[in-house]
Structures are given as C-alpha cells and as structure tokens.
Amino acid sequence: MANSTNIAPLSPGQLAFRRALRHGGFWTGGLIILVIVLAAIFAPLLTPYDPALQDLTQRYIPPVWSEKGTWDHILGTDNLGRDYFARVLYGTRISLGIGLLTLLISGTIGVSLGIAAGYWGGWPDLVINFLITIRLTLPVVLVALVVVALIGNSLTLLVLVIGLLLWDRFAIVVRSATQQVASREYITSARAIGSSTPRILFREILPNITGPLIVVASIEIAHAILLEAALSFLGLGVQPPQVSWGLMVAEAKSQLMFRPWMIAIPGAALVLLIFAINLVGDTVRDVTTPEGKA
Amino acid sequence: MTSDALIMRGVTRDYPVGTAFGRKQTLRALRGIDLTVGKGRTLGLVGESGCGKSTLAKILLGVEQASSGEVLVEGRPISGYGRLERAGLIQPVFQDPYSSLNPRMTVETLIAAPLAVRGIGDSALRRRRAREMAALVGLPDHLVSSYPSQLSGGQRQRVAIARALIGEPRILICDEPTSALDVSVQSQILNLLHRLKSELDLTMILISHNLAVVHHLADEVAVMYLGQIVESGPSAEVFARPRHPYTEALLKAVLPPRAGVRLPELGLEAEFPSPLRPPSGCAFHPRCRVADGLCAERAPERDGTNHSFRCHHPLGGGDQAAAMTTPETA
C-alpha cells in the first residue's frame, strides 16, 4: 500500500485507453483515420487543382503508375479533365462531414430513446420499441429516394434523411445497456441519496454505457458514409459540382471496362476509411468489455 | 410517539406478476408489517432469502412505495418528505459493495455525492468533508482519488458507509452489510458500524440472515417469514426464549464453533413456499413441527405486547427452551 501512494490512480476510461494503445488495430485504424482527417482539412494545401476545374485538353489521363501517367496529375484526370487526386481529397470532406453530422443527429435520437426505454421500462419502453420496429421496417434507400423525389436535392436534406433513419442501432444497444446498468445497486444508491432523474441518467448511467455507445457510433458513422456514397451513386445524394466518392464512381461507371482505375480509386478510398473506422470500433469493443478486466 | 424514529403500520407491498400464459398474478411481498423502532435503537431484521426483507428496506428508502399501510419517519408519513429531505434523513448501506458503487467515479466523488445532490457547499468544501468522512471510516487518505475497482471489498464497504453518513442522516438501513465480505473483514465492518452508530447517535435497521451479527448488534429483533413479522421483541428476550417455532428453528441452525458438532435436525423439510401461492392459514404451517389442523385453516393474530409473535401454539418460553436455543456467539 505504501508504494501505491505515489501512483496516480487511473480512471476506467484511462485504463481502457492504455489497453487500446497496446492494441495493433487501434494504431493501424487510428493512423489511417488521422491521415484521412488531416487530408480533408488541408486539402487545398495538398493539391494546386480545383476539384471542379475542367480542362478538356487533359481528359482521361491515367494515374502516374501507368505508362502514360504524369506527375502533374498523380491520380490522373476524369472525363472532363478534372484532377482525380483533388477530387478524392475534396470527396473526403463530404464523406467525413456527412458521417459526423448524421452521427450527431442519429446518436442524439437513438441515445435519448434508448436510455428512456431502458430506464423507465413499462409503457415508454413499449412505445419506443414500437418506434424502433417501425423504423426497422422502412427500407432506408427507398425512403431516401422518395424524400429526395418529393422535396428535392440538397446536402442538408441528405444529412437529415440519413440522420433520421440510422438511429435504430443506437436505440437498441443503448436500451439493453441501460437496462443492465439500471438494475445495478449503485443506481438504487443514487436514488437513495436523492439524485434527480436527469442526474441519474447522465451522471450514473451514461458514463457506464460509453463502451457499447462508441462501438455503435463507429458502426453507424461507417454506415452513414457508405449510404451517402450509395445515394450519390444513384444520383440522389451529393450533386455536381460538389465532389463525393459515390458520385465519382457513378460518373466513371461507363469507363468500367476501359479505365477501371477511375472506379478503383474512389472505391479504394471508401474501403480504406470504412476499414479504419471498423478497426477502431473493434478495438473499443475489445478494451471496454468485459468491464474492469484490468 | 416522538421518541420513535420509525413506525410502520399494516404496510403491504404487492407486485403484479405476469405468468407464461399471460395470467395476472399478485406477488404479496409484504403482508401487513407492523414495526416500531425507537430513536437511537438498532433493529435486527432476520429471515430467509425471499421473505421480503429487502422490499421493506426499499420502502424505507423511498425507492419503492408501499401498496397500503403507513410508514412514519420521525412522526411524519414518508410520502410527505421531499426527495432530498428524505435522503437527508434515511441512508442505506447495501449488501454488495461491488455493485453499489459506480465504477466510473472516484472514491471522493462517491462519498461527496449526497452533498452534491443536495447542493451543500462548494466543491472544495465537499471534497474536504469527503476526506474527513474517509478518515472517520478508516480509509487511508491516499485512496480517495482511487476508483472502486482498485479497492478491496472491505474498503469498498467503508466507502459506502462514508457515503451514507456524510449527509448526517438520522436512520441508517444496512441491508446485509457484511454478507459479501470475507469473514476477517466482516467483523471490522460490523465494529465500525457499531462505533459510528453510537458516536453519531443513529437509529439503525440491520437486515441480516446472520443471527450472530444480529445478536451482537441489535437491541431489538424482528423475524420475518413470507412477508410477515412472525416474532419481534427485545433481542436478548427473543434469543433466549423464542416463542415462534420458526425463530426456534433459525436459532438452532446456528452452529457453535466447536469440533464434532453436527448440523441439527431442524424439521424444516418442506421448501420455502412461493409468495405467489402462500399456504393457507399460518404461512409457516407446512414446515412447522407443532402445527395442527387449526394452523392450516386460520392465520394466527399477533399476540403479546413487548415480545410479540404470530402463532397458535407458541413455545413455552421456559428455561428448557432457553438452554437449548441460545446461540453461541463467539
């Protein structure tokens, strides 16, 4: 005991972070995400080209590693002579932006509903379960299609539609995690010292469900990014002159047989980002469960 | 009346239970509890698992409401107290210190929480009070910034006790405070509770199935069976001359720490009955050694004043019984 006086105790969160640092997946995934985020932020510094600037004299230049490639256009140019590297870089902004913004919406809805259902049980639980079931019966792409057809097409709308559709996993996971935590004696103890309900929900329950919450968040952010790419591919998402990886794939689909790199490059960017997010999510799951392993 | 910290009159608690086939049933966890605890006294509440002890504790803590009956705390109905007022008056110490402390909070935060909830003082004052309480319950100072997962069971229970007492409550409800702890630590925690109780002039309700603990600490004893108090009275009296056959059986089940002593034949063959389908008449009759036809038909009324019991055929209370049933507390 005497030795432990000078060692600062670590919170469960700090312990989990320490375990994460020993986890290969965290380093790999975290590094990739860091690079992608930095690339999105500093895109204008990394390329001299405007992603929307057309140059019809420079159409279909292949990437630098092929025989006809040039260092002027590292990843080549597209059918309108726009620099592909610049388009991939600026496309990162759309993907990450949509991922984070929809996460904010879907997370807020899902966590609120899940905590309410898990904590109160009874009829709030029934109503919220009913809402979850209704949400699960809605095909996401179809709903997005109808909304875009009815209201029109904008980035704000896209974020809203995806955000309002992807809260179901949050609600389901948070509900069951809350049920588990709410039955613990420290919640009874919190009530016995007179804690208000908001205090119990936000000070006692929420900190104890962060593990599953982060895991779901990582899944949902990847889900939202993929959905944006899919909707943009279908022409329902991001509209030119804005750039999105899904849009790039859509514009290049006629060249699939002749210039496969035009699809492979934005596709690879998408795969890399999703892979990295999933790796970090897996790490969080590994280090937070079972609780108190350290 | 004002000298009573706690009075319960005819308190019942029913839980609606749905069965597999959707039939609604009622689980009667408490069936007419009458109980009085004087100020500064310790009441030992004894009974098997599932007899309603913890439900009783939850009602006293205001975490659950009684279905009917009256609970008076310091002369006022418990429902008349506000959430914070009640919390300032009655505090719990739970059975399992591994689940009664939030794993995401430091010891300091845990201990100071009752003050924070009631908005007493600023955070510096609360931290100082938490450290004082930690010292009072015998927690080393360097542990106050630790998390529960870094503490032993005994240390955790000390945290729980400090947290319960920091708001200077009048009544402490200890729901099996030592049953999750090592034997060597149990006595430390019990002695701590005993010392704090007299230092702080607390009224204490000690829920336990350990008779030696109750005998050691309690002024009065109430024995519960299937949601009823079957016998209650001054601790020495009940332990020396049990009137109810169930109390007698419980006392016999205590093994003296002597070699060669075997488990006694208790005559408690039958299973503990389900509170969903309580036996007719006296709830204890299927397991009772003195039961007869009357017991199966009619529930016994409460009898006796100071030392009361619910039995058609109370045991004599003579010297013979006393010699036989006094538990050997080490």
Side-chain angles (χ1 to χ4, degrees):
Chain A
M1 256 201 223
N3 324 343
S4 63
T5 35
N6 43 15
I7 299 170
L10 293 167
S11 74
Q14 288 167 319
L15 284 171
F17 188 67
R18 288 212 162 178
R19 283 198 295 273
L21 291 182
R22 290 196 296 267
H23 203 286
F26 183 77
W27 282 106
T28 321
L31 227 60
I32 296 175
I33 292 177
L34 188 72
V35 168
I36 291 178
V37 168
L38 289 179
I41 295 172
F42 297 111
L45 302 177
L46 294 173
T47 172
Y49 295 102
D50 179 339
L53 183 74
Q54 303 179 8
D55 183 352
L56 293 179
T57 61
Q58 305 282 315
R59 300 170 69 220
Y60 293 130
I61 295 176
V64 69
W65 56 82
S66 71
E67 280 173 30
K68 289 178 197 160
T70 93
W71 280 100
D72 289 342
H73 298 285
I74 303 172
L75 296 180
T77 57
D78 68 1
N79 58 335
L80 297 172
R82 296 174 293 198
D83 183 65
Y84 230 53
F85 182 59
R87 290 181 72 72
V88 170
L89 275 183
Y90 281 90
T92 313
R93 291 182 162 186
I94 291 283
S95 282
L96 290 177
I98 288 198
L100 291 173
L101 285 175
T102 57
L103 188 72
L104 217 61
I105 300 174
S106 60
T108 310
I109 300 174
V111 170
S112 317
L113 290 178
I115 278 200
Y119 182 70
W120 279 293
W123 68 261
D125 190 26
L126 281 177
V127 171
I128 288 163
N129 264 325
F130 184 65
L131 287 178
I132 293 174
T133 315
I134 289 179
R135 157 56 204 98
L136 289 174
T137 57
L138 296 175
V140 175
V141 175
L142 201 63
V143 172
L145 207 144
V146 171
V147 173
V148 169
L150 284 177
I151 304 180
N153 210 324
S154 78
L155 207 54
T156 325
L157 187 70
L158 190 66
V159 168
L160 277 178
V161 169
I162 300 180
L164 292 175
L165 283 171
L166 294 190
W167 51 265
D168 51 309
R169 272 209 201 95
F170 277 107
I172 293 169
V173 170
V174 167
R175 174 180 169 269
S176 64
T178 303
Q179 281 177 336
Q180 271 179 25
V181 171
S183 65
R184 305 298 298 264
E185 224 158 34
Y186 57 82
I187 302 301
T188 315
S189 170
R191 286 161 78 190
I193 63 168
S195 308
S196 61
T197 304
R199 192 184 169 92
I200 291 176
L201 295 182
F202 295 110
R203 297 288 306 276
E204 307 277 348
I205 292 181
L206 204 54
N208 283 294
I209 60 172
T210 44
L213 200 55
I214 292 173
V215 175
V216 178
S218 76
I219 293 172
E220 284 308 327
I221 200 170
H223 193 173
I225 289 171
L226 282 177
L227 201 58
E228 177 273 319
L231 290 173
S232 296
F233 177 80
L234 292 175
L236 302 167
V238 173
Q239 296 297 307
Q242 280 171 321
V243 207
S244 138
W245 294 343
L247 199 59
M248 290 172 75
V249 174
E251 285 169 350
K253 65 178 183 291
S254 62
Q255 301 296 322
L256 177 64
M257 293 302 175
F258 317 106
R259 300 182 177 87
W261 51 268
M262 289 187 69
I263 284 179
I265 288 170
L270 202 53
V271 167
L272 197 66
L273 179 56
I274 303 298
F275 169 73
I277 292 173
N278 285 346
L279 264 185
V280 171
D282 278 357
T283 312
V284 172
R285 194 199 54 213
D286 286 350
V287 300
T288 53
T289 54
E291 188 66 52
K293 210 164 87 181
Chain B
M1 270 301 158
T2 45
S3 64
D4 291 327
L6 200 69
I7 300 171
M8 298 183 103
R9 282 197 210 112
V11 171
T12 67
R13 175 68 177 134
D14 299 333
Y15 292 99
V17 184
T19 59
F21 300 102
R23 236 163 3 104
K24 281 273 161 68
Q25 276 185 300
T26 305
L27 189 152
R28 309 198 61 194
L30 297 178
R31 309 186 298 152
I33 300 284
D34 297 305
L35 209 57
T36 303
V37 189
K39 270 198 183 128
R41 310 279 287 171
T42 300
L43 172 81
L45 203 56
V46 181
E48 273 168 278
S49 308
C51 72
K53 293 173 299 192
S54 296
T55 306
L56 192 65
K58 282 188 181 148
I59 287 176
L60 293 175
L61 289 172
V63 174
E64 301 236 4
Q65 264 76 50
S67 302
S68 67
E70 231 188 343
V71 183
L72 300 176
V73 180
E74 311 234 300
R76 273 168 63 191
I78 192 167
S79 50
Y81 288 97
R83 175 163 54 85
L84 298 177
E85 220 181 341
R86 189 196 61 230
L89 209 56
I90 309 179
Q91 277 299 300
V93 175
F94 290 106
Q95 171 175 7
D96 181 5
Y98 290 88
S99 82
S100 65
L101 302 176
N102 190 331
R104 301 270 165 171
M105 294 184 180
T106 61
V107 167
E108 202 171 47
T109 316
L110 283 163
I111 296 179
L115 298 183
V117 165
R118 284 153 66 194
I120 296 173
D122 55 5
S123 72
L125 174 94
R126 292 198 288 261
R127 280 225 295 282
R128 208 177 57 238
R129 290 277 296 123
R131 279 166 191 274
E132 285 168 17
M133 279 315 292
L136 185 68
V137 299
L139 268 179
D141 197 49
H142 65 86
L143 287 179
V144 292
S145 46
S146 309
Y147 288 83
S149 61
Q150 292 146 349
L151 304 185
S152 70
Q155 288 169 337
R156 290 180 194 217
Q157 201 60 302
R158 285 176 198 269
V159 174
I161 292 170
R163 172 181 162 102
L165 295 179
I166 193 168
E168 295 168 356
R170 305 308 313 140
I171 303 171
L172 193 63
I173 295 174
C174 305
D175 189 354
E176 312 219 9
T178 58
S179 61
L181 302 176
D182 283 352
V183 181
S184 57
V185 182
Q186 285 185 5
S187 59
Q188 294 173 15
I189 295 295
L190 289 171
N191 288 335
L192 174 68
L193 282 173
H194 193 61
R195 176 169 67 82
L196 292 174
K197 193 215 139 211
S198 42
E199 271 177 26
L200 306 173
D201 191 29
L202 293 167
T203 305
M204 193 155 95
I205 294 188
L206 180 70
I207 298 175
S208 181
H209 49 226
N210 186 336
L211 291 175
V213 167
V214 172
H215 190 68
H216 180 60
L217 289 181
D219 305 310
E220 270 148 85
V221 181
V223 180
M224 279 187 77
Y225 188 81
L226 208 68
Q228 274 186 325
I229 289 177
V230 294
E231 180 161 5
S232 65
S235 167
E237 172 92 7
V238 173
F239 276 97
R241 276 176 296 279
R243 306 298 304 273
H244 199 283
Y246 179 60
T247 313
E248 183 203 34
L250 281 184
L251 290 173
K252 273 194 199 165
V254 177
L255 276 185
R258 254 186 274 121
V261 180
R262 292 187 190 178
L263 268 177
E265 195 54 56
L266 296 176
L268 288 177
E269 285 88 2
E271 283 283 299
F272 186 73
S274 160
L276 277 173
R277 274 167 278 101
S280 62
C282 170
F284 185 58
H285 85 262
R287 305 169 79 186
C288 183
R289 67 178 176 90
V290 295
D292 58 14
L294 174 67
C295 301
E297 269 168 35
R298 208 155 52 77
E301 290 302 312
R302 216 171 113 202
D303 201 355
T305 47
N306 193 20
H307 177 181
S308 68
F309 48 88
R310 283 175 188 269
C311 186
H312 291 303
H313 310 290
L315 305 174
D319 295 332
Q320 180 201 1
M324 196 172 69
T325 54
T326 306
E328 312 252 347
T329 46

